[in-house]
Protein backbone atom coordinates (compact mmCIF):
# COMPACT_ATOMS: atom_id res chain seq x y z
CA UNK A 1 0.00 0.00 0.00
CA UNK A 2 1.36 3.42 -0.93
CA UNK A 3 0.72 6.16 1.60
CA UNK A 4 1.35 9.78 0.60
CA UNK A 5 3.61 11.80 2.88
CA UNK A 6 1.10 14.41 3.99
CA UNK A 7 1.84 17.44 6.19
CA UNK A 8 1.36 15.46 9.39
CA UNK A 9 3.80 12.76 8.38
CA UNK A 10 6.34 15.36 7.24
CA UNK A 11 6.05 17.24 10.55
CA UNK A 12 6.46 13.98 12.47
CA UNK A 13 9.48 13.06 10.35
CA UNK A 14 11.03 16.46 11.03
CA UNK A 15 10.48 16.00 14.77
CA UNK A 16 11.99 12.51 14.67
CA UNK A 17 15.09 13.90 12.95
CA UNK A 18 15.36 16.69 15.51
CA UNK A 19 14.96 14.23 18.39
CA UNK A 20 17.68 12.01 16.93
CA UNK A 21 20.06 14.98 16.61
CA UNK A 22 19.81 14.53 12.84
CA UNK A 23 21.41 11.07 12.79
CA UNK A 24 18.18 9.86 11.18
CA UNK A 25 18.22 10.28 7.39
CA UNK A 26 15.25 12.01 5.75
CA UNK A 27 13.95 8.89 3.93
CA UNK A 28 14.25 6.85 7.13
CA UNK A 29 12.47 9.56 9.12
CA UNK A 30 9.62 9.58 6.59
CA UNK A 31 9.39 5.77 6.67
CA UNK A 32 9.29 5.71 10.47
CA UNK A 33 6.89 8.67 10.74
CA UNK A 34 4.50 6.99 8.30
CA UNK A 35 4.60 3.77 10.28
CA UNK A 36 3.97 5.58 13.57
CA UNK A 37 1.24 7.84 12.17
CA UNK A 38 -0.65 4.92 10.66
CA UNK A 39 -0.16 2.82 13.81
CA UNK A 40 1.64 -0.07 12.19
CA UNK A 41 1.88 -3.19 14.31
CA UNK A 42 5.53 -3.75 13.47
CA UNK A 43 8.47 -1.84 11.94
CA UNK A 44 11.07 -3.94 10.11
CA UNK A 45 14.54 -2.68 9.26
CA UNK A 46 18.06 -4.00 8.89
CA UNK A 47 19.55 -0.56 9.53
CA UNK A 48 20.93 -0.63 13.08
CA UNK A 49 20.88 3.14 13.46
CA UNK A 50 17.25 3.33 12.38
CA UNK A 51 16.32 0.34 14.55
CA UNK A 52 17.80 1.93 17.68
CA UNK A 53 15.70 5.05 17.10
CA UNK A 54 12.53 3.29 15.94
CA UNK A 55 12.38 0.95 18.92
CA UNK A 56 11.65 3.98 21.13
CA UNK A 57 8.37 4.55 19.25
CA UNK A 58 7.14 1.26 17.79
CA UNK A 59 7.80 -2.47 18.02
CA UNK A 60 10.83 -2.95 15.79
CA UNK A 61 12.67 -6.01 14.54
CA UNK A 62 15.31 -6.76 11.93
CA UNK A 63 14.80 -9.04 8.91
CA UNK A 64 16.34 -12.08 10.59
CA UNK A 65 14.02 -11.71 13.58
CA UNK A 66 11.06 -11.27 11.21
CA UNK A 67 12.00 -14.40 9.31
CA UNK A 68 12.38 -16.40 12.52
CA UNK A 69 9.09 -15.09 13.92
CA UNK A 70 6.96 -15.79 10.87
CA UNK A 71 8.70 -18.56 8.93
CA UNK A 72 10.06 -21.02 11.46
Amino acid sequence: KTIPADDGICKNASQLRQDSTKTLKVPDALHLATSITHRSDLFITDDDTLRKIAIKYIETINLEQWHNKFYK
Side-chain angles (χ1 to χ4, degrees):
K1 178 177 176 181
T2 301
I3 300 171
D6 61 22
D7 287 345
I9 289 172
C10 290
K11 287 177 185 176
N12 289 344
S14 177
Q15 186 64 52
L16 287 167
R17 276 187 39 89
Q18 185 176 353
D19 292 349
S20 72
T21 60
K22 306 229 178 187
T23 57
L24 192 58
K25 298 174 188 170
V26 172
D28 291 338
L30 286 167
H31 184 193
L32 179 56
T34 301
S35 188
I36 293 167
T37 300
H38 287 272
R39 297 187 173 130
S40 297
D41 295 325
L42 185 62
F43 189 79
I44 303 167
T45 181
D46 259 355
D47 180 324
D48 285 337
T49 301
L50 176 56
R51 186 185 55 76
K52 288 174 185 172
I53 294 167
I55 204 162
K56 297 175 189 175
Y57 302 96
I58 188 170
E59 183 181 355
T60 305
I61 61 176
N62 65 29
L63 288 174
E64 182 179 358
Q65 291 169 318
W66 175 77
H67 183 269
N68 291 340
K69 184 174 185 174
F70 294 104
Y71 290 100
K72 286 194 175 185

